[in-house]
Amino acid sequence: MDKLQHTINCNSIIEKLDILLQQLECGLIPQSGGICWQVDQGGSELFGDSPPSYVYMWYQHSPIAFEAWPQFSGDYEFPVPGTSVSSAEAQYYRSSERWVGPQLELRLSLIRHLIEYFEELGHASEG
């Protein structure tokens, strides 16, 4: 991947995360999915065998970013830890709690962390 495409991919991810952050800060709750779904918009459900290149970058780099987030659950599919149940996965499936209270605060923290990570990754390709 060339530097320009790398930067474009990072910017696409940042834009999606930033839109999600702004919506959440205004009290708008996503109708489905978690953070990853909001970035890839359902991935293969929408794009089939040809997702945009930023989706590949997301799945290549998001696990690294999750590991660098202090609250990481240890589960790459469910990176936000449980707050009312012990398992991150079980917490995720309590969809009524996903975007409120302690879960919302953790998700906001993760989104901000991901934006910083992909900003740094994008700048690294410029040098």
Side-chain angles (χ1 to χ4, degrees), residues 16-112:
K16 290 188 170 291
L17 290 167
D18 194 46
I19 289 168
L20 176 60
L21 181 62
Q22 289 176 35
Q23 290 173 335
L24 290 168
E25 288 175 340
C26 290
L28 300 172
I29 304 301
Q31 296 299 310
S32 62
I35 296 168
C36 295
W37 197 94
Q38 302 306 314
V39 171
D40 75 8
Q41 296 297 305
S44 60
E45 295 173 26
L46 271 174
F47 305 121
D49 292 334
S50 302
S53 58
Y54 77 84
V55 172
Y56 293 110
M57 176 177 271
W58 169 254
Y59 285 105
Q60 180 182 11
H61 288 278
S62 59
I64 300 164
F66 295 156
E67 288 177 357
W69 183 50
Q71 291 84 16
F72 178 50
S73 69
D75 185 329
Y76 297 104
E77 290 187 48
F78 305 97
V80 178
T83 51
S84 64
V85 294
S86 60
S87 144
E89 181 177 6
Q91 182 71 61
Y92 175 84
Y93 286 112
R94 289 183 170 206
S95 58
S96 65
E97 297 176 6
R98 191 178 304 147
W99 299 106
V100 298
Q103 281 294 300
L104 174 60
E105 293 307 313
L106 285 166
R107 289 171 197 286
L108 290 171
S109 171
L110 178 54
I111 293 166
R112 290 183 186 108

